[in-house]
Amino acid sequence: MPIYEYRCEPCHHAFEVFLAMAGEQAVCPRCQGTQLQRLMSTFATVGGRAAAAAPAPAPRGGCGGGCSCH
């Protein structure tokens, strides 16, 4: 299910919502409004892969021992 981000026009509340079907209407959780502005979602990629899938860089000066990185 995709996650969509919206901002409610009447109350200015920004929120995320899972929508199972493409035609499903999102509703503001604060005021139950349906006058919503869809926001641009941000995400990070590294070389075409999601940033979460990329290994974290080793701390400067090595990892602290127990391996062969230094």
Side-chain angles (χ1 to χ4, degrees), residues 2 10 19 22 30-31 46-47 49 51 67 70:
L19 295 178
R30 182 180 286 168
C31 74
V46 177
R49 298 180 303 178
C67 74
H70 49 269

Side-chain angles (χ1 to χ4, degrees), residues 19-41:
L19 295 178
M21 299 173 55
E24 189 176 355
Q25 174 68 45
V27 177
C28 176
R30 182 180 286 168
C31 74
Q32 306 306 308
T34 57
Q35 295 177 338
L36 307 174
Q37 176 185 13
R38 187 151 171 213
L39 303 176
M40 295 294 289
S41 298

